[in-house]
Amino acid sequence: MATNCYVTFPTIFYAIRAESLLKQKDFTFKMVPVPRSISSSCGTALRCACPDLSKIRQYLADHQTEMEGLYQLEEDGFKMPIVKELQSDELQ
Amino acid sequence: MNCNKDSVNHELNLYFDNSATSWPKPEAVYRAAELQMRQMCGNPGRSGHTRMLEADRLIYRTREALAALFKVDDPSRIIFALNATDALNIALKGFLKTGDHVIFTALEHNSVLRPLGTMRRNGLITTTMLPCSLEGYPDLEFLENAYQPQTSLLVINHASNVIGTVAPLRKMIESAHKKGVKVLVDAAQTAGTIDIDIADLDIDLLAFTGHKSLLGPTGTGGLYVKVGIDLKPLREGGTGSHSEIDLHPESMPERLEAGTLNSAGLAGLLEGINFIRETGLDQIREHETALRRSLREQLMEMRQITVYGPEEAAECAGSLSFTIRDTDCGEIGYILENNFGILCRTGLHCAPLAHQAFGTFPGGTIRLSPGFFTKAGDIQFLINAIREIVALTEKG
Ligand SMILES: Cc1ncc(COP(=O)(O)O)c(C=O)c1O
């Protein structure tokens, strides 16, 4: 079992912009295909450790990067994960 | 031009047609375009696998490099198009609404004149041509009186592709904005040789092409669209996002970019921009201005020759036009190529109204456009060739 958080984007432009901005700072994250259990306009999502999500979201919001959704997934191998959609105001 | 190996000896050619397309390109441009095709798949934005992500990253970097070059802080406002013509069509047809009035300068290229002409003939818009002086400067007093209540757009060719005159952008933009009129700048001849600060000049729309002074491959170009301006997309289709709905996305840049982008071309364009950044725009401008000054001075020494455009080279970019008394420009161009291996462009250069303003319609001019890779020695060779031709025409 592992818990991961995901950020989805409206378009690939914003996915790549997010990657490019975060790479210039010391954020830990990975760009991945959007998990099948969540729906997104753009096929590429950002995966990070859940405690980092709030900082990452704030940094992107401060740097003209549109996001679509925030998710927390309980992942267990090939089983369907348990998905929780997060609202930005729920993040500390 | 037939580029068959046997028919063209590139080593022997002296290229003076950089206003049409720049040649040669920096080595890195050729390599990057090839590498992009060899190593990365060509369909950016369509799936999450790593090769495609690489293509997406490259396109993002190219957009970012253009944004930096033009001092635009949000790269999503730069959209890619096939060339300047395509970008100008996207801007004009996406911006103008039925009943609008448009002012354009006499220096505009057919890529502006024809879309506007079609819309005017179809009864959608009305237009006013802003006349210009013999030296290619738009009549600013005329402009002040040309605005109408329905005027929505002023179109300005940043530099004449016939005689090189650079338009007084700042004054013209300030004038238009005072009347609430937006400005579309055609930077086909200037992007990559003249510093264009979009934010400082407060430009609304700017079309550029990748294959001229930006030193990239053909099939690249784009449009800057200021925040707050929404253009109706000319094309709709696949963008890689929102695939489940038959509604084209609202989000820029995808809103104005349907279909697979020219990633190989854009890889080359990125290297063209990098070359410009590393060399320095000032350095490029200085070199081209010095070449132009020397070319103009030496042409002026021949009394049979008329040189068009401003005397001061620093007020110009790109093209220099001349005619030889009592000769046909096409014939001179033919002799330059066939007897001397010099490539230039003769005729009307897709700018018929400009030639009317300069008194060179319909015969046109001989247009010379050196580039950053032109050397002082090339200018000397060219001048000697023209001297010989002039001597021949004297003999009759
Ligand atoms: C002033 C001007 N506008 C537009 C264009 C069109 O550029 P392109 O052929 O790249 O579409 C050109 C060049 O041909 C030009 O000189």
Side-chain angles (χ1 to χ4, degrees), chain A residues 9-14 16-21 23-24 31-34 40-44 64 66 68, chain B residues 44-45 47-49 53 56-57 60 63-64 73-76 239-244 249 251-254:
Chain A
F9 301 93
T11 61
I12 190 69
F13 171 82
Y14 286 109
I16 302 292
R17 179 171 176 82
E19 179 189 48
S20 166
L21 286 167
K23 256 193 202 160
Q24 293 165 31
M31 301 311 289
V32 295
V34 174
S40 166
S41 301
C42 166
T44 298
Q64 296 164 309
E66 287 179 24
E68 196 171 63
Chain B
S47 114
H49 68 67
L53 264 184
D56 290 319
R57 288 180 183 122
Y60 184 84
R63 222 185 282 280
E64 220 177 23
D73 70 16
D74 177 0
S76 78
T239 58
S241 51
H242 292 282
S243 296
E244 71 290 355
S251 182
M252 287 280 278
E254 279 84 353

Side-chain angles (χ1 to χ4, degrees), chain B residues 19-21 82-88 107-112 157-162 186-190 207-212 218-221 319 345 349-351 367:
Chain B
S19 289
T21 194
L82 299 172
N83 44 41
T85 304
D86 192 35
L88 289 163
L107 300 177
E108 299 313 309
H109 188 268
N110 274 338
S111 50
V112 168
N157 183 358
H158 192 192
S160 162
N161 58 309
V162 180
D186 175 356
Q189 290 294 332
T190 52
F208 60 92
T209 200
H211 67 99
K212 300 187 200 260
T218 49
T220 60
S319 306
R345 183 81 154 262
H349 317 101
C350 305
R367 182 181 79 174

